[in-house]
Every structure is written in C-alpha cells, then in structure tokens.
Amino acid sequence: MLPKIGVFAPLLAAIAFANPFGHSQVYVAPRQVWNNATKYEVKTPPLTTNWTYTIGTDPWQEYPRPQLERSQWKSLNGIWKYENASSPDAVNSPPTDLDNGSEVMIPSCLESGLSGIQSNTSFASWFLTNFDVPSDWSGEKVLLNFGAVDYEATVFIDGKQAGFHRGGYFAFTIDITPYLSNNGSFATRQNGAHELLVFVHDPTDTAIIPVGKQTTSPSHIFYTPCSGIWQQVWIESAPATWVSRFDVAAGMDGKVDVNVISIPEGSAEAVEVEVKDKGSGKVVGTGSGTSNTPFSFTVSSPNLWSPSTPTLYDITLKMGNDEISSYTGFRTIEKGEVNGVQRPLLNGKFEFLFATLDQGYWPDGIYTPPNREAMIFDLQTLKDLGFNAVRKHIKIETALFYQACDALGLMVIQDMPSLPPKGDSFLPNPDQQSEWERQLVLMINQQKSFPSIVTWVIYNEGWGQLYATTNPEFNLTSVIRTLDPTRLIDSTSGWRDHGAGDFHDNHHYAAPQCGTPFYSILSTPFDPSRIGFQGEFGGLGHNVSADHLWLVPQAVNSINQTYEISADLKTYNYRAHRLLDELREQTELFACSGAVYTQTTDVEGEVNGLLTYDRRVLRPDVEMWKKDIGALYDAAAGRA
Ligand SMILES: *[C@@H]1O[C@H](CO)[C@@H](O)[C@H](O)[C@H]1NC(C)=O
Ligand SMILES: *[C@@H]1O[C@H](CO)[C@@H](O)[C@H](O)[C@H]1NC(C)=O
Ligand SMILES: *[C@@H]1O[C@H](CO)[C@@H](O)[C@H](O)[C@H]1NC(C)=O
Ligand SMILES: *[C@@H]1O[C@H](CO)[C@@H](O)[C@H](O)[C@H]1NC(C)=O
Ligand SMILES: *[C@@H]1O[C@H](CO)[C@@H](O)[C@H](O)[C@H]1NC(C)=O
Ligand SMILES: *[C@@H]1O[C@H](CO)[C@@H](O)[C@H](O)[C@H]1NC(C)=O
Ligand SMILES: *[C@@H]1O[C@H](CO)[C@@H](O)[C@H](O)[C@H]1NC(C)=O
Ligand SMILES: *[C@@H]1O[C@H](CO)[C@@H](O)[C@H](O)[C@H]1NC(C)=O
Ligand SMILES: *[C@@H]1O[C@H](CO)[C@@H](O)[C@H](O)[C@H]1NC(C)=O
C-alpha cells in the first residue's frame, strides 16, 4: 500500500488548499491535544533486566549517527501518542484525535514492555508528536531522521504527507522544510508548533519480507516481532546543499577512499576532508575533491585498527556550509594463502575470528536495547571473555552499536536480515526477491563505513534462498563486491552452498566441524579454495531457574528442543571446555580459520546464552573460557 501525496480523502476534517509547491493537496487539520490518552507506564514484561525500571522516558539521547554528525540537532525521542489502526488502508484517513490512544515511548517496539503498550497484533499503527524547530538554527533546511521503522512508514508533517519508507532496518532522512506550516492552527499548539504523524504498517507473517527471527507466533528459535519506530528520531539543521551520505574506507597502506553524496542529487560541490589524531586533534591528512565523485588521499604511517589496538581517527568534512564530524579506522581485510591454506587476513596477517552469534534481543525492549549502557554491557562481556568478533545475526542495529564495536575492537560479521524461513512453500516471487535485494544494497551502503565490519553474510541456512531454481548468491556476491570491494563475503552461512564467496561455512551443533575433512547432513565437503569457517556451533543449554526465564508458555515448552542441556553450570563449563578444545585441535590439524559460538544471551525459549536473557547470570567459568579462547589464537598463530 503506497499512498500518493494528496489522497487522504474521504476525510471529514480534510480541507483542500492550494499549496505553495504547485500541486493541490489535501490539508488535514491538526489533531486535538489529548489529555486523556492512557499515560505512559512500563508494562511488566515476562522478564526484566536491571535497566527496565531505571531508564526513565528519555533514553538514547546520544547523537544517533556518529559517522555523519551535525552540531545543530534535536532529539525527538520520548513520550509520543499511539493508536492502533484498523488496517493498512487507514493511512488514507488519519485520525482526527488520538483521545482513545495511549502514550508510547519512542524509540521502542510496540510489542515490548518498555514501549508502554506491549501489544502482539500491531499490523497498522499511528504515532504522533509535536516539536519546535529551535529559533537559532542557522541552516536553510530542516531534516527529519529515523534510525529505523519496522516495516513501512508514511510520514506526515503538519498534515501533509512528507515521505514514505519501506524496510524495517534502515535509517532514512526526509527534508521536511517544504512541509513545515506557518499556519496558525499548527503554530498555536500547546506542545510545540509542528506536528509529526507517522503511520506504520508491519505485515510480519502475512508477507514475504525481511524479518530475521521475528514471528507473530514465537517458539524455540523464533521470537516476538517488533513493530513501530524502534530506533531514534531526530531533526537537524543543514544548508540548502547538504551531505546525505559519507562513505569512507581507510586501508593499512594509509589510503583513504571517500565518497560524499550530496543533495540536490548530482550536485558537484567542493569538499574538504581532514583526518585528525583522536587524542591530540592534530591533522594527519587532508583530501579534497567534489561531491558525488569518489576521491582518495593518503595518511602516512597511520596506527592501524585491530581488535587488540582499536585505534580510530576523527574526521571533519566540509562542504560549503555543511560541516560534518565523522571517524574511521585504518585496516585491510582480505583473503590470502598462508602456508597453503586460505585465511582471513587482517592488516596482512592471519586473524582467527572468534565470535558469538549475537541476536540483539532484550526481554524488556525486544529489538531495542533498554539503553546504550545495556547494549555495551553485552559487547564488553564478550570482550572480557576474549572474543574478538560478533556475528550480528539477521538483524541490523543502531549505528551506535557499530560505533561501540569500532571503539572496543570487536570485528563484526554482518548478516542480511533473512526472509521468513518457512520452507519451500514460502520462497520469494520475483518482486519479493528484488525487494529483498534492494534492501541488501541498502544494508551495504548504510553499514560500509564502519571499520569493525569485516564480513557480509548474504544467506543464513538457506532461509529465503532460491536454491532449487537459481543460485542467486553468485550474482549477489558480485553485486556486493562492486559496492564494497574492501570486505569478505560469506555468501551462504550454514548450508545450501554452491561455491560462492570467500568462505566455506559449516553450521554444526554442538561440536564444531571447522575446515575439517568430515562433515554432516546438509553441509558439503570442505572446499580448500575458500576459508574454512564454523558459522555456528555450541548452543550448550542450561535450564536456569524460573526467575531468569521468559515465562511465556510457548517459550518454556520449547526449552526441551535445545540441542543439549547441562544440569548445572559445572557440567556446562565441562562441555564448553571440550568443544573449545575440539575447535583448537581443528585449528591445529585442519583448515579452521574462525568460528561463531551460539550465543551471546538466552533468547525467549532458548537457554543457551553465555548470559541469561535478563543478563543477570553469566554462565562461563571466566578464567577457563579466557584460557581456552587464548589457546585458539595461539593455535592459529602456530599455523601462520
Ligand atoms: C477526552 O477528553 C476530551 C476533552 O478533554 C473529551 O471531549 C473526550 O470525550 C475525552 N475522550 C474520552 C475517550 O474520554
Ligand atoms: C544487576 O543488579 C545486581 C544487583 O544490584 C548486580 O549484582 C548485577 O551485577 C547487575 N547486573 C547487571 C547486568 O547490571
Ligand atoms: C488493532 O486493530 C486490528 C483491527 O481492528 C485488530 O485486529 C488488532 O487486534 C488491534 N491490535 C491492537 C494492538 O489493538
Ligand atoms: C473512544 O472511546 C469511547 C468510549 O469507549 C467511544 O465512545 C468513542 O467512539 C471512541 N472514539 C474513537 C474516535 O474511537
Ligand atoms: C490553515 O488552516 C486552515 C484550517 O484550519 C485552512 O483553512 C487554511 O487554508 C490553512 N492555510 C494554509 C496556508 O495552510
Ligand atoms: C497474542 O495474543 C493472543 C490472544 O491473547 C494469543 O493467543 C497469542 O498467543 C499472542 N501471541 C503472542 C506472540 O504472544
Ligand atoms: C544481478 O543482480 C542485480 C541487482 O539485483 C540485477 O540487476 C541483475 O539483473 C542480476 N543479474 C542476474 C543475472 O540475475
Ligand atoms: C517438549 O515439551 C512440550 C511441552 O511440555 C511437549 O508437548 C513436547 O512433547 C516435548 N517435546 C519433547 C521432544 O520432549
Ligand atoms: C525448565 O525450567 C522451567 C522452570 O523451572 C520448567 O518449567 C521447565 O519444565 C524446564 N524445562 C526443561 C526442558 O527442563
């Protein structure tokens, strides 16, 4: 359902007027100010975290886009109004008030306790807030930014449709300047001069769209869905010609490749880029060129980025009056032969990748971590145990997640969010396939400037993969290679492998089969022309006490589907020691170059996390795991 500008009729409150931009448009009168909408309150989720009742109503106040940061900005996060809509067609008849609605916290998933709603049937929803544009903003444009809205957003400013976006994992920006009304009826509102109304349509389970693990009937390895405005919302001020995207990639040789995309589209503005030492602020390199034309320059002898030395450099970008702060890290990731074996090379050396499967789910926030501190707690836990990587599993996080990985030194293996894994009867038709491919391109372009990301994963375990008729992963691998020649590509993680990409990636539970000459059902014999990798293993379970469980019947009833359950933590750690030791042996004897342990935390009915779902119990014997993980890196060094 893609509404066109101006078709809100039939609508009693709509008054047609001639707008100053040439086309006639329906004018929707401002909604009433509701004092009787249900007040915001955290809804008690089936399980809490330490953060559930402490974050208040304005979490996520950090600048949301650290690689393209402007100084004049204002967060629109906080308490908005929400009302359920009857159907996707409701977009054509915006409500005249939201009196019967509820307050909602933004950003959040409507299904989460933190939203204040905790719904489970949110297919169509209205969201409303008011805002002022600060009077001292010097720019000529006001840009409205969303970090992510799941799944489709239709945005109205002061009663006029200002934009539409499809795709639940992507940031988008709307130049709302032409829609900001000076009309008195909006300007005299009690909560702010302007009105932002968002219609969200989320057809999870009724359409074949990228959803990752979301389902409306969660059980076992599939979880509660997320609908709504689940990442940050903010406005900022920009000049008439502005930077809409800044691509930066810096290699171990000091070469910095940049591409500044500017609006108006195709404009060619002079651009200057300065790279600065983070501590001293000293300029170590400058480059200049023109927007919308890639250019490069060199910084001599930069300190390189790696998990053990996550050095970052600040960047200042100037294009006319648009001044942007950003950052980068200098590193090169490639595939290369070391003693006859194909390896992932970081800055020219074999780097063993040891990651967790990181799903990014929270009992109180579902897809949205309660706050930045909670999000970083997970990453710091991994770092402290000795992991040097995370596999971000069929989800894309806020930019602040990747910034934290850049700063902490955690390499990211980034999965494309998969289509629903419901077997051959639910494979995409050509339109659904091309929409999924469009969103794959969005992911690469949105994420490709984070130095911590080292690998893209296209397909997970054949989910949504047209493996019977065509092998789309070959074409998609070359599409990604063109968009981003600086990273490795794991075309098929798990199975349905036909030889595409840089990795031969096996999934096997609980024991690894990493670059080994033996393999199991659905896998294929190790292919020595590619990197031997264990995309998933482990999954050791431990049915912790009820007070750390997601006490929803469908979840608790699926705990018995866990691959392996240990009766106590002593046994759990004994089993983990055996598996980590097998992985070490496979690294010494065969062609194993890295692995992904399942998983960072428990999720709903899955009880196999290093941390429980509430993050209150850490299962690993920390000293033992640190020693065993250290032995993996030593084994890899012994093969280099
Ligand atoms: C909400 O409040 C307004 C006026 O304050 C009133 O007219 C309206 O009937 C109320 N709605 C409900 C559902 O109570
Ligand atoms: C949660 O709070 C408890 C009690 O204060 C504390 O011991 C624990 O370390 C906290 N856990 C996290 C993840 O913050
Ligand atoms: C929203 O409205 C639809 C249609 O009336 C209904 O099926 C659904 O249960 C409602 N959802 C919520 C969260 O109220
Ligand atoms: C709001 O709720 C009241 C009471 O339940 C009902 O009479 C009224 O029709 C509702 N208004 C809207 C706009 O749904
Ligand atoms: C302002 O709003 C009123 C309705 O409240 C409408 O009649 C009028 O046309 C609007 N004017 C402009 C310039 O949008
Ligand atoms: C949603 O609510 C319905 C009705 O209460 C229930 O049958 C269903 O299991 C719920 N779904 C989830 C995902 O909790
Ligand atoms: C490969 O993918 C691109 C981008 O989706 C598409 O334009 C092209 O037609 C595809 N080619 C083949 C052979 O499938
Ligand atoms: C798992 O537990 C559920 C609920 O108790 C039960 O229905 C199911 O048969 C059990 N499955 C197995 C494999 O034991
Ligand atoms: C796991 O623990 C919960 C809570 O104690 C219990 O209800 C459930 O039956 C247990 N399941 C298994 C498979 O041990």
Side-chain angles (χ1 to χ4, degrees):
M1 185 65 41
L2 209 169
K4 291 181 194 69
I5 299 245
V7 275
F8 302 145
L11 178 63
L12 289 177
I15 301 160
F17 78 107
N19 79 24
F21 311 102
H23 54 277
S24 82
Q25 188 169 358
V26 170
Y27 175 83
V28 181
R31 268 129 291 270
Q32 290 167 24
V33 179
W34 357 239
N35 296 316
N36 45 10
T38 307
K39 290 284 164 233
Y40 174 77
E41 205 180 359
V42 178
K43 279 262 170 36
T44 308
L47 181 67
T48 64
T49 67
N50 279 11
W51 294 277
T52 309
Y53 297 104
T54 65
I55 59 167
T57 53
D58 59 353
W60 299 105
Q61 294 297 323
E62 302 84 9
Y63 188 85
R65 196 182 48 203
Q67 285 190 311
L68 203 170
E69 178 167 350
R70 291 189 172 88
S71 57
Q72 287 182 326
W73 75 285
K74 181 175 158 177
S75 171
L76 300 188
N77 299 341
I79 301 302
W80 292 29
K81 298 298 189 298
Y82 153 81
E83 197 170 87
N84 185 44
S86 52
S87 79
D89 295 335
V91 68
N92 296 315
S93 37
T96 52
D97 63 54
L98 281 86
D99 268 355
N100 289 5
S102 305
E103 291 185 339
V104 64
M105 185 162 71
I106 298 298
S108 71
C109 303
L110 286 172
E111 293 80 353
S112 70
L114 285 174
S115 70
I117 308 296
Q118 204 166 262
S119 69
N120 80 358
T121 47
S122 293
F123 296 111
S125 318
W126 289 104
F127 295 89
L128 182 63
T129 192
N130 296 107
F131 63 97
D132 282 314
V133 176
S135 56
D136 61 347
W137 279 11
S138 55
E140 295 148 272
K141 296 279 186 196
V142 178
L143 307 179
L144 170 64
N145 301 283
F146 290 83
V149 179
D150 197 349
Y151 173 72
E152 291 172 340
T154 309
V155 176
F156 301 84
I157 296 290
D158 291 349
K160 290 158 239 157
Q161 186 183 326
F164 172 82
H165 183 268
R166 174 175 292 142
Y169 301 92
F170 307 100
F172 57 98
T173 300
I174 302 171
D175 173 5
I176 58 171
T177 325
Y179 304 98
L180 290 171
S181 175
N182 296 319
N183 196 320
S185 56
F186 279 101
T188 56
R189 308 294 299 281
Q190 92 184 34
N191 296 324
H194 298 291
E195 182 190 277
L196 166 57
L197 178 69
V198 185
F199 181 78
V200 177
H201 173 220
D202 186 357
T204 300
D205 281 351
T206 63
I208 299 178
I209 56 169
V211 285
K213 293 261 184 148
Q214 305 178 68
T215 173
T216 53
S217 47
S219 173
H220 189 37
I221 63 166
F222 300 104
Y223 322 126
T224 302
C226 173
S227 305
I229 303 168
W230 67 279
Q231 289 187 25
Q232 300 201 52
V233 188
W234 74 105
I235 52 170
E236 65 193 332
S237 161
T241 302
W242 50 282
V243 175
S244 64
R245 204 175 97 198
F246 176 46
D247 295 345
V248 55
M252 61 185 282
D253 56 0
K255 185 161 171 262
V256 185
D257 289 307
V258 303
N259 191 16
V260 176
I261 314 289
S262 62
I263 305 262
E265 229 170 282
S267 48
E269 295 288 312
V271 171
E272 202 176 293
V273 179
E274 278 183 352
V275 179
K276 296 187 257 186
D277 182 84
K278 233 183 195 335
S280 65
K282 188 173 159 261
V283 176
V284 296
T286 44
S288 51
T290 307
S291 66
N292 295 313
T293 306
F295 63 92
S296 58
F297 58 97
T298 302
V299 169
S300 67
S301 321
N303 292 317
L304 301 187
W305 186 95
S306 75
S308 52
T309 57
T311 311
L312 298 174
Y313 286 84
D314 286 331
I315 290 180
T316 307
L317 159 64
K318 285 191 189 129
M319 186 187 81
N321 291 330
D322 208 5
E323 194 167 322
I324 307 288
S325 307
S326 186
Y327 70 88
T328 193
F330 290 82
R331 93 284 179 281
T332 297
I333 179 97
E334 59 203 329
K335 171 173 153 245
E337 191 178 307
V338 178
N339 296 328
V341 182
Q342 292 299 326
R343 300 294 193 185
L345 307 181
L346 179 68
N347 301 329
K349 293 200 198 98
F350 170 27
E351 179 89 10
F352 188 86
L353 300 164
F354 196 51
T356 53
L357 194 73
D358 197 79
Q359 312 234 31
Y361 268 83
W362 297 82
D364 44 10
I366 309 295
Y367 251 17
T368 310
N371 63 11
R372 190 193 204 185
E373 177 194 310
M375 182 183 78
I376 291 177
F377 171 82
D378 277 8
L379 297 174
Q380 188 65 54
T381 302
L382 301 181
K383 193 75 188 167
D384 291 347
L385 284 168
F387 288 90
N388 64 4
V390 283
R391 177 177 172 205
K392 179 43 66 184
H393 193 40
I394 49 180
K395 178 189 179 194
I396 305 171
E397 299 282 356
T398 160
L400 297 173
F401 174 92
Y402 301 92
Q403 181 195 35
C405 293
D406 292 339
L408 285 170
L410 276 168
M411 295 180 285
V412 178
I413 298 159
Q414 176 66 53
D415 292 10
M416 173 62 191
S418 53
L419 298 172
K422 294 185 181 167
D424 293 1
S425 59
F426 225 67
L427 288 172
N429 68 26
D431 285 348
Q432 292 157 343
Q433 176 68 12
S434 67
E435 177 58 22
W436 184 75
E437 293 181 8
R438 185 188 71 85
Q439 294 190 27
L440 174 68
V441 169
L442 290 183
M443 175 179 82
I444 307 296
N445 285 332
Q446 173 173 303
Q447 302 297 108
K448 70 181 179 184
S449 295
F450 295 109
S452 55
I453 298 180
V454 296
T455 295
W456 306 114
V457 177
I458 305 175
Y459 285 111
N460 175 67
E461 297 184 352
W463 296 358
Q465 185 182 347
L466 294 162
Y467 59 86
T469 45
T470 59
N471 294 329
E473 71 270 23
F474 284 96
N475 188 27
L476 294 174
T477 300
S478 55
V479 168
I480 297 176
R481 205 74 89 188
T482 308
L483 291 170
D484 175 20
T486 74
R487 289 181 176 84
L488 301 176
I489 302 171
D490 186 349
S491 306
T492 55
S493 184
W495 42 80
R496 309 286 185 213
D497 177 52
H498 309 99
D502 297 312
F503 293 87
H504 182 267
D505 178 341
N506 180 317
H507 289 187
H508 192 258
Y509 288 95
Q513 299 178 339
C514 183
T516 56
F518 54 91
Y519 61 97
S520 299
I521 186 163
L522 289 175
S523 290
T524 43
F526 171 61
D527 164 12
S529 72
R530 291 178 292 159
I531 298 166
F533 192 67
Q534 187 71 36
E536 291 181 23
F537 81 109
L540 295 175
H542 163 244
N543 192 15
V544 70
S545 56
D547 51 337
H548 300 289
L549 283 179
W550 178 256
L551 287 180
V552 170
Q554 297 91 320
V556 174
N557 291 342
S558 71
I559 290 176
N560 60 4
Q561 294 177 49
T562 308
Y563 297 106
E564 180 180 319
I565 294 196
S566 290
D568 53 53
L569 285 180
K570 193 166 173 232
T571 315
Y572 166 89
N573 279 294
Y574 160 75
R575 288 292 298 138
H577 180 60
R578 298 302 336 140
L579 297 185
L580 293 169
D581 210 41
E582 276 189 64
L583 190 65
R584 176 189 56 76
E585 284 173 352
Q586 292 173 12
T587 306
E588 284 170 356
L589 295 172
F590 307 117
C592 180
S593 291
V596 178
Y597 181 84
T598 301
Q599 58 185 337
T600 306
T601 72
D602 292 356
V603 187
E604 303 197 350
E606 283 194 273
V607 294
N608 52 12
L610 302 173
L611 289 158
T612 49
Y613 198 22
D614 60 6
R615 276 72 173 171
R616 291 189 178 107
V617 177
L618 177 67
R619 293 192 176 94
D621 169 339
V622 174
E623 289 316 308
M624 185 204 89
W625 278 68
K626 276 166 74 173
K627 205 159 151 257
D628 288 347
I629 293 173
L632 298 173
Y633 302 130
D634 292 345
R639 300 292 303 276

